[in-house]
Amino acid sequence: MSEDGLKPLYDDQVDEEVYKRGSQYKWTKARKSDYNDGSNSNGEAPPEKKVKYEDKPLSDENGKPVEKEPRLPKRKVAVMIGYCGTGYHGMQHNPPNLTIESDLFKAFVEAGAISKLNSTDLKKNGFMRAARTDKGVHAGGNLISLKLIIEDPQIKEKINEQLPEGIRVWDIKRVNKAFDCRKMCSSRWYEYLLPTYSLIGPKPKSMLYDTIEQGKKELPGVLDEDNESKQFWLDVGKHMSEQFSEDELQAIKSYIPPPKEQFDGTDETYLKVKRYKQIENLHRRQYRISQDKLQKFRSTMQQYLGTHNFHNFTLGKDYKEPSAIRYMKEIKVSEPFVIGDAKTEWVSIKIHGQSFMLHQIRKMISMATLIARCGCPADRISEAYSAQKLNIPKAPALGLLLEAPVFDGYNSRLQKFGYERIDFSNYQSAMDSFKMKHIYDKIYKEEVDENVFNAFFSYIDNFDRVTGARGEETVDKSGLSVQRSIFEFLSARGIQPSTTTKTDNSKKDTSQAPKEIPVTNTNVENESQEIPQDTES
């Protein structure tokens, strides 16, 4: 108010903060420079604008400029391939490691299917795979989708000329631009090769053998009497008695290898132990499975068909997770066949599933094999779909390979667009010949050289002794509440429900969720795998 108190006074000066709220205050320096006739506040000319991308000329290894290639049209294609994974760090491109995709990409460039300009990055070509396999895992059929230059009618032959013998391109098919081979894959076939001696019952006096026999006494009639395995071990024992005295056999069974720095390969007891194992291995390779035992294994594998909760057949999945539900469409167990210089008998197991989780196939094979070895009823598989957590070991990765991805759901759409179906059965003869030469022979040889499956199941049979994973009766726990073996679910007692009660609903009960069984002493793991791995897809 003024001094006379009659009129209020107004300040017509606008506060400087008002300008800061205006649009000019928010201008960038570049725009202000343009508004001020291209000069900055110091009256200097604005700096030249930087060029984000420069079209630099291509140069060879010596730095000399290379003439640009003519631009040729690229087409979206599906490339059907097969490969032996030995020596590779898996399927997926992972520099500087040698992978299947790195050799494929190099061959595409050298054959002219990918231009030099696009030879530095897979993403420029829209590279995608239907199934990723891990280190050392093979594939009779797999598929990748990308953009290639396919004007040359001999392009497939030229690509194969640039590839090593362990990788083959079966065909190249045109597909529509929206094709994504991973998402469009409706199901997958996997194959697992298993030596039949893996189905022989646990060795007498082993921890798993004792668990099985004790269960038979407590609950008679639950488990099968495996007379075939009993006769096998009687024949082995008879042969050993002919080769060694009682004192020598006792020394062999109680032999403990010394530390590595003190090991003596000429030690007399060690040489006897070595000879003992050779005789055992000879009997295993001479073993021929009976039709009754083979049928038991087949009926056990059939328990996997349909939609089930496979949370016990993978890692990190809870019973209540929807992603643990998987659908198995078809399972085939071949007739036994004898192959290789060692004359070992094998069976081929083929599993057709909509999708698989990490280690799922290897755990499925392991569970079915253990049930057949221990004489459990086949429906023990169905009980494994319950909420009770089981510790199922992974079978060796050696026998696993990807047979082929299936695109049944998308093939009808391809035909509507005027493209050919993607069907690996059209190349079955070439795939079988390739697998026999580059995959099967390597599996058979490695199994004989390393005794992979024998080492695995021997380790499982004595797992409780090696790790001390046996429960003991106490005042609070006795009888059925005591876990006598980590593999007690294979005994006559079966899969026991958890007896632990939760005192605090906010805390998750982990007492019945055992850790993954380590198999480091079996010479079977090269787990970037997972299997095949047998990875989630």
Side-chain angles (χ1 to χ4, degrees):
M1 298 289 289
S2 61
E3 290 181 343
D4 56 9
L6 297 176
K7 293 181 179 180
L9 292 176
Y10 297 97
D11 187 357
D12 293 332
Q13 180 63 40
V14 179
D15 187 46
E16 188 177 349
E17 292 298 320
V18 175
Y19 289 118
K20 293 185 179 181
R21 293 191 295 272
S23 60
Q24 289 189 12
Y25 184 79
K26 299 177 181 178
W27 283 0
T28 62
K29 291 183 179 180
R31 187 174 180 186
K32 287 180 180 179
S33 177
D34 293 339
Y35 186 77
N36 294 326
D37 297 328
S39 61
N40 56 26
S41 58
N42 298 326
E44 300 175 354
E48 295 182 3
K49 294 182 179 179
K50 294 182 179 180
V51 179
K52 290 185 178 180
Y53 304 101
E54 295 182 6
D55 190 13
K56 296 182 179 179
L58 292 174
S59 57
D60 58 19
E61 296 177 354
N62 300 320
K64 295 181 180 180
V66 178
E67 293 185 5
K68 287 187 177 181
E69 297 176 296
R71 294 180 64 87
L72 297 174
K74 295 185 294 184
R75 310 295 183 190
K76 187 69 174 288
V77 296
V79 183
M80 307 167 76
I81 61 173
Y83 52 84
C84 170
T86 302
Y88 288 92
H89 288 258
M91 169 74 176
Q92 191 169 355
H93 187 63
N94 183 26
N97 297 317
L98 178 63
T99 62
I100 301 296
E101 287 183 357
S102 62
D103 271 5
L104 275 170
F105 193 68
K106 182 181 177 183
F108 291 155
V109 174
E110 292 177 350
I114 291 178
S115 66
K116 299 289 184 183
L117 190 63
N118 294 329
S119 64
T120 57
D121 189 359
L122 272 70
K123 293 180 181 179
K124 291 182 179 180
N125 303 278
F127 204 103
M128 181 57 67
R129 66 211 61 82
R132 182 187 67 220
T133 55
D134 293 314
K135 182 178 179 180
V137 178
H138 320 291
N142 202 349
L143 188 135
I144 58 174
S145 59
L146 74 164
K147 295 178 182 178
L148 290 182
I149 301 167
I150 56 172
E151 304 298 315
D152 188 346
Q154 300 297 317
I155 190 62
K156 185 189 81 171
E157 288 74 17
K158 290 183 177 180
I159 292 172
N160 278 329
E161 288 175 2
Q162 301 297 330
L163 286 169
E165 288 188 357
I167 305 177
R168 292 291 92 183
V169 172
W170 306 126
D171 206 349
I172 300 175
K173 299 281 191 183
R174 284 287 307 277
V175 293
N176 67 317
K177 293 181 180 180
F179 180 75
D180 184 320
C181 62
R182 185 180 67 84
K183 295 180 180 179
M184 304 301 182
C185 180
S186 57
S187 59
R188 296 164 179 84
W189 275 99
Y190 278 88
E191 183 177 16
Y192 195 92
L193 298 173
L194 182 76
T196 58
Y197 75 72
S198 301
L199 299 171
I200 299 172
K203 185 177 180 179
K205 304 295 179 64
S206 67
M207 297 297 286
L208 184 56
Y209 177 88
D210 292 342
T211 299
I212 300 303
E213 292 303 310
Q214 186 175 359
K216 288 180 178 179
K217 293 177 183 178
E218 293 179 355
L219 300 169
V222 176
L223 303 183
D224 298 335
E225 288 296 332
D226 190 356
N227 295 321
E228 185 175 330
S229 296
K230 286 182 178 179
Q231 187 60 49
F232 173 85
W233 289 115
L234 283 173
D235 292 342
V236 172
K238 182 179 179 181
H239 194 170
M240 294 303 183
S241 298
E242 295 171 354
Q243 299 295 318
F244 304 98
S245 67
E246 287 297 326
D247 291 340
E248 287 176 328
L249 288 173
Q250 187 60 40
I252 289 170
K253 293 176 181 178
S254 59
Y255 175 76
I256 299 176
K260 187 175 181 180
E261 58 275 8
Q262 300 176 15
F263 176 74
D264 181 8
T266 62
D267 178 70
E268 185 177 348
T269 305
Y270 164 73
L271 293 175
K272 290 177 182 178
V273 170
K274 186 176 180 181
R275 187 176 161 210
Y276 183 96
K277 291 183 177 180
Q278 289 173 344
I279 294 173
E280 264 195 4
N281 289 333
L282 178 63
H283 278 267
R284 287 189 178 92
R285 303 202 179 281
Q286 291 176 344
Y287 172 75
R288 300 295 180 256
I289 193 170
S290 68
Q291 281 299 315
D292 289 342
K293 185 175 275 287
L294 181 61
Q295 185 56 42
K296 171 67 181 291
F297 180 68
R298 281 176 172 154
S299 62
T300 303
M301 289 297 301
Q302 294 300 308
Q303 300 292 314
Y304 291 123
L305 290 175
T307 303
H308 304 290
N309 190 319
F310 285 92
H311 74 103
N312 272 322
F313 295 85
T314 186
L315 297 179
K317 291 286 184 184
D318 188 72
Y319 173 74
K320 296 182 179 180
E321 292 186 50
S323 60
I325 308 295
R326 299 292 160 133
Y327 174 48
M328 300 298 110
K329 304 179 73 173
E330 190 175 358
I331 295 175
K332 301 176 182 178
V333 179
S334 74
E335 286 295 319
F337 55 92
V338 178
I339 199 164
D341 295 335
K343 304 299 182 184
T344 307
E345 186 181 63
W346 296 72
V347 290
S348 168
I349 306 154
K350 294 188 177 181
I351 303 176
H352 185 195
Q354 191 175 49
S355 61
F356 298 89
M357 295 178 288
L358 182 67
H359 302 325
Q360 181 180 337
I361 294 175
R362 292 168 62 191
K363 284 177 174 278
M364 288 168 64
I365 297 294
S366 176
M367 184 66 169
T369 305
L370 289 170
I371 284 176
R373 293 178 82 235
C374 300
C376 301
D379 60 5
R380 193 67 56 88
I381 294 286
S382 301
E383 296 175 19
Y385 302 138
S386 64
Q388 178 60 28
K389 196 69 178 174
L390 303 180
N391 203 334
I392 302 172
K394 302 184 295 288
L398 176 66
L400 180 65
L401 65 144
L402 173 64
E403 175 76 5
V406 181
F407 295 86
D408 285 344
Y410 194 68
N411 276 336
S412 58
R413 295 176 61 186
L414 281 175
Q415 289 178 311
K416 285 182 181 179
F417 296 138
Y419 300 114
E420 296 181 14
R421 292 170 57 88
I422 297 174
D423 189 352
F424 280 88
S425 63
N426 297 330
Y427 319 96
Q428 196 64 52
S429 178
M431 289 168 59
D432 289 343
S433 298
F434 174 81
K435 287 192 293 183
M436 184 59 69
K437 181 179 179 181
H438 295 283
I439 298 177
Y440 292 160
D441 284 352
K442 285 183 171 59
I443 292 176
Y444 303 145
K445 185 178 185 304
E446 185 174 345
E447 201 287 318
V448 172
D449 292 344
E450 303 293 336
N451 280 314
V452 173
F453 287 88
N454 175 35
F456 172 74
F457 287 108
S458 296
Y459 180 70
I460 294 300
D461 290 350
N462 292 286
F463 182 80
D464 292 333
R465 178 179 290 120
V466 173
T467 62
R470 291 179 69 90
E472 296 181 359
E473 292 193 6
T474 62
V475 177
D476 299 326
K477 285 187 176 183
S478 62
L480 294 177
S481 62
V482 179
Q483 178 178 275
R484 299 177 186 175
S485 169
I486 195 74
F487 298 119
E488 194 170 32
F489 59 86
L490 298 171
S491 72
R493 300 170 76 184
I495 299 174
Q496 297 295 320
S498 174
T499 57
T500 305
T501 56
K502 296 180 182 180
T503 56
D504 184 356
N505 292 331
S506 65
K507 295 181 181 180
K508 187 177 180 180
D509 176 22
T510 59
S511 61
Q512 297 296 321
K515 296 181 180 179
E516 179 71 1
I517 295 176
V519 286
T520 54
N521 295 331
T522 66
N523 295 323
V524 301
E525 292 297 275
N526 53 4
E527 272 314 318
S528 88
Q529 258 145 330
E530 157 164 3
I531 186 138
Q533 116 71 202
D534 188 11
T535 55
E536 184 165 358
S537 53

